[in-house]
Amino acid sequence: MRIRTRLERFDIRRLLSAIIVTVGLVVLLVLCFGIPCPNSFCFSPVKVSEIVPNSSNEVVTTEMNHINLSSDDEYEEETRNDDSSRQNVVAVSNVKVELINVSVIPSPNVPLGKPETAVDSSVLVRSKALSILRRQKQVAATVSISQMNSLLIQSRPSSHSPKPRWSSARDSEMLSAKSEIEKASVVHESLGLDASIYRNISKFLRSYDLMERKLRVYVYKEGKKPIFHRPMPRGIYASEGWFMKLMESNKKFLVKDPRKAHLFYIPVSIKALRTSLGSDFQTPKSLADHLKEYVDLIAAKYKFWNRTGGADHFLVACHDWGNKLTKKHMSNSVRALCNSNVAQGFRIGIDTALPVTYIRSAVSPIEYRGGKPPSERKILAFFAGSMHGYLRPILVQLWENKEPDMKILGPMPRDPQGKKQYREYMKSSRYCVCARGYEVHTPRVVEAIVNECVPVIIADNYVPPFFEVLNWEEFAVFVEEKDVENLRNILLSIPEERYIGMQARVKTVQQHFLWHKKPVKFDLFHMVLHSVWHSRINRIKTKSRH
């Protein structure tokens, strides 16, 4: 009897062990190959690593599994071709999304001719898409546009600029300019400008006038090509190239004697830095260290960096890595950045947001401007592009082919006809959706403005260009990522009169977003330079007298 009981116990233990092993194998197979999907689409996993500080201020990493909904070649081909070694990593505030295997695979097991299955699949996909977005937002704090406005106001009385080690006549000149700007005469309108577009048109015009008359810039001659002194005026990073080209050839603002300069320009291309140094320089740390060598060089050769700790120096960077490569060794400097993510180190009131301009022809940088009048714009909202990041696949999944007035698409053909159709959609749409990709910035903001289409910016924590001067809510719509499901209702709720006014202001503000081979008043070159001047003016300090 005892023997039988022991045998029964032994069989039960063996059965439990077998069950545990089987369950373990199933879990392992699911983690490796995904879950078999009986519906019309199967999804590949996306691993999300969340960085969370614990009570001891130590960094703890947790992981969640998500799915990715789609994969296509990108519409902006240069974002990958120029940065081929970049991993499929998306930074979302403190969330890192690693795209392990991005694909949408039709299931061969779904029988044809069953519409109810397709409906169930659509509902399932929509539910999963929204679930992913909600989880993303739970771990990523969002700074709204109104909160950014508050941060800008708070940054003005405070100062993060170090005091200079010794006084300079240039500091006195900038302090005098600051005083004149604060006392600017009230201006209600100006020829070619709409006062409602600006936070304070009186101070802007006074500041701009003083910049044109007084500002002097010194460009360092040090640095070897192609990383330094070689502008790249084509492609998706063209903004840093065009500014370098126009700044180094400028005769109005440049001085040969650095002692006469108010600002010092570091003529570096982050795009070239990222691609020109070879396999030994592929990590952010190695590239940042290379930049530090340049800073050490000019600091040893000249006295100007050491006088202010770099506070009167500036750089212009449109590559995604511009922020992370400069935030340590150039923390006191003014950084004009395309990747203006306030949750990743972009500093409102110190740094300035640089527009992303996708220039296809260096000879004609402002081609294809204009669009249809409001009465002829029959499409409510338009988007087309590659499925970069976590948001765009969700946007397309929620809205593609859902409403006749919502033209939300994936990638369009890259041939001339496809590009022409893309422009026609923009010129025929009331609102152009500017959804974030891997990073918060996108060339669609400027593309929308150039085609006189009201931008709809869906990119949490994105600080729009020239934020310290322009009142963006007067000519653009901001939709938080969590509200993408309600996109159509949000746009339809905007009164017709309000839309007509916004579209007119888009046409007026367009002049600030255009490159010219020979710079003109209020154009993109002058606006970038003014933003740097504005930042330095507001942070200027003098050496204390004892």
Side-chain angles (χ1 to χ4, degrees):
M1 189 68 179
R2 292 182 179 177
I3 294 173
R4 183 180 298 176
T5 303
R6 289 177 180 175
L7 287 174
E8 287 175 352
R9 290 178 180 174
F10 181 72
D11 289 339
I12 292 172
R13 289 174 181 172
R14 284 200 301 177
L15 179 60
L16 289 174
S17 299
I19 291 172
I20 292 171
V21 171
T22 303
V23 171
L25 286 173
V26 170
V27 171
L28 182 61
L29 289 172
V30 168
L31 291 175
C32 293
F33 302 105
I35 302 173
C37 180
N39 298 302
S40 59
F41 291 97
C42 292
F43 308 100
S44 56
V46 177
K47 184 173 67 178
V48 179
S49 300
E50 179 191 357
I51 302 176
V52 184
N54 64 10
S55 58
S56 303
N57 291 327
E58 297 173 351
V59 175
V60 179
T61 302
T62 61
E63 293 185 356
M64 298 181 294
N65 286 322
H66 289 306
I67 55 172
N68 195 290
L69 302 176
S70 182
S71 172
D72 286 292
D73 293 334
E74 62 181 350
Y75 185 73
E76 315 97 326
E77 57 266 20
E78 292 201 37
T79 57
R80 310 311 302 162
N81 293 344
D82 290 343
D83 199 5
S84 58
S85 62
R86 171 179 170 175
Q87 300 297 316
N88 288 332
V89 175
V90 186
V92 189
S93 184
N94 291 332
V95 183
K96 185 174 68 176
V97 181
E98 299 175 1
L99 304 183
I100 300 171
N101 180 22
V102 185
S103 60
V104 172
I105 308 170
S107 171
N109 299 323
V110 178
L112 298 176
K114 290 190 176 182
E116 65 274 14
T117 303
V119 172
D120 291 342
S121 172
S122 176
V123 173
L124 176 65
V125 169
R126 186 184 186 90
S127 176
K128 287 188 175 181
L130 293 173
S131 175
I132 293 170
L133 196 54
R134 291 188 186 105
R135 288 193 209 175
Q136 299 273 4
K137 297 298 101 188
Q138 285 175 359
V139 295
T142 299
V143 181
S144 67
I145 191 71
S146 60
Q147 289 172 320
M148 291 180 190
N149 290 330
S150 298
L151 288 172
L152 179 63
I153 294 171
Q154 292 168 15
S155 72
R156 287 168 180 165
S158 63
S159 180
H160 304 277
S161 180
K163 291 183 179 180
R165 294 173 62 183
W166 61 87
S167 59
S168 165
R170 307 291 85 77
D171 291 347
S172 298
E173 290 170 359
M174 296 197 82
L175 283 170
S176 174
K178 183 177 182 178
S179 176
E180 289 189 52
I181 294 167
E182 291 298 324
K183 299 174 183 177
S185 301
V186 176
V187 175
H188 295 290
E189 59 182 23
S190 179
L191 184 63
L193 302 179
D194 183 337
S196 65
I197 290 172
Y198 306 92
R199 295 182 179 276
N200 187 319
I201 191 171
S202 305
K203 290 185 178 181
F204 168 67
L205 289 174
R206 189 67 179 128
S207 176
Y208 189 95
D209 175 66
L210 289 168
M211 177 196 75
E212 283 195 311
R213 291 193 291 110
K214 294 189 175 184
L215 177 62
R216 297 297 177 263
V217 179
Y218 180 77
V219 179
Y220 284 107
K221 303 298 186 291
E222 288 70 23
K224 296 181 179 179
K225 297 179 180 180
I227 296 174
F228 299 90
H229 305 291
R230 178 175 289 177
M232 300 181 185
R234 289 184 65 253
I236 201 152
Y237 305 123
S239 289
E240 66 182 32
W242 270 91
F243 184 85
M244 184 188 297
K245 174 184 176 181
L246 297 175
M247 188 76 260
E248 292 199 300
S249 62
N250 189 275
K251 296 180 180 179
K252 182 175 184 178
F253 296 106
L254 292 190
V255 290
K256 295 181 179 180
D257 185 352
R259 293 172 297 180
K260 297 179 180 180
H262 303 93
L263 292 168
F264 298 81
Y265 173 49
I266 299 176
V268 61
S269 167
I270 299 298
K271 174 187 175 183
L273 174 67
R274 180 73 181 87
T275 58
S276 302
L277 292 178
S279 58
D280 291 338
F281 292 87
Q282 290 300 313
T283 66
K285 184 180 183 306
S286 62
L287 295 172
D289 288 344
H290 189 79
L291 271 182
K292 183 180 183 301
E293 291 177 6
Y294 182 83
V295 170
D296 292 342
L297 171 66
I298 60 175
K301 188 172 181 178
Y302 302 93
K303 61 182 180 180
F304 307 103
W305 178 278
N306 297 326
R307 188 182 80 86
T308 63
D312 52 1
H313 288 57
F314 74 98
L315 60 95
V316 176
C318 200
H319 193 278
D320 296 3
W321 285 20
N323 178 24
K324 69 175 70 175
L325 298 187
T326 58
K327 64 182 179 181
K328 182 178 179 181
H329 304 303
M330 300 181 181
S331 59
N332 291 327
S333 303
V334 182
R335 304 177 304 162
L337 302 172
C338 286
N339 192 6
S340 51
N341 189 334
V342 73
Q344 292 183 359
F346 182 88
R347 305 161 300 176
I348 294 176
I350 301 176
D351 300 322
T352 181
L354 180 69
V356 186
T357 54
Y358 191 175
I359 304 299
R360 292 168 175 81
S361 171
V363 178
S364 304
I366 57 174
E367 59 184 351
Y368 307 123
R369 274 193 301 164
K372 295 180 180 180
S375 60
E376 297 178 21
R377 291 178 178 260
K378 304 303 181 183
I379 301 172
L380 177 64
F382 166 67
F383 172 84
S386 296
M387 297 298 96
H388 296 168
Y390 61 87
L391 180 64
R392 293 184 187 179
I394 296 172
L395 173 71
V396 171
Q397 189 60 54
L398 291 175
W399 289 111
E400 187 175 27
N401 298 323
K402 297 299 189 298
E403 298 287 347
D405 58 355
M406 297 285 285
K407 190 69 69 174
I408 307 297
L409 310 171
M412 293 181 65
R414 299 180 190 173
D415 57 18
Q417 184 59 36
K419 293 178 179 179
K420 181 180 179 182
Q421 183 64 69
Y422 180 86
R423 292 192 298 271
E424 284 303 311
Y425 280 144
M426 278 202 158
K427 295 178 187 296
S428 305
S429 300
R430 288 186 158 222
Y431 300 97
C432 290
V433 176
C434 309
R436 64 164 294 156
Y438 291 112
E439 303 290 351
V440 292
H441 56 295
T442 168
R444 284 168 187 77
V445 176
V446 173
E447 287 175 348
I449 292 172
V450 167
N451 289 284
E452 299 173 2
C453 181
V454 176
V456 179
I457 299 174
I458 313 178
D460 291 353
N461 301 318
Y462 174 60
V463 182
F466 313 132
F467 184 68
E468 63 282 346
V469 168
L470 298 180
N471 186 7
W472 273 83
E473 291 169 287
E474 288 298 311
F475 59 90
V477 178
F478 291 84
V479 176
E480 291 190 15
E481 293 170 16
K482 66 179 177 61
D483 296 326
V484 67
E485 182 184 18
N486 300 317
L487 176 60
R488 186 169 183 269
N489 289 337
I490 291 170
L491 298 181
L492 288 175
S493 70
I494 298 173
E496 180 70 11
E497 184 179 354
R498 169 71 174 164
Y499 163 72
I500 296 294
M502 292 178 77
Q503 200 270 343
R505 289 186 282 274
V506 166
K507 294 172 67 174
T508 303
V509 82
Q510 185 186 87
Q511 62 183 313
H512 297 324
F513 293 88
L514 302 175
W515 294 112
H516 296 268
K517 289 187 286 186
K518 189 173 182 179
V520 301
K521 192 178 183 70
F522 297 131
D523 72 351
L524 188 42
F525 169 75
H526 284 99
M527 289 298 288
V528 174
L529 193 59
H530 176 266
S531 288
V532 177
W533 155 267
H534 181 277
S535 174
R536 180 58 184 154
I537 282 281
N538 283 315
R539 297 168 61 228
I540 188 73
K541 282 187 176 182
T542 57
K543 183 175 175 59
S544 300
R545 295 181 179 179
H546 298 286

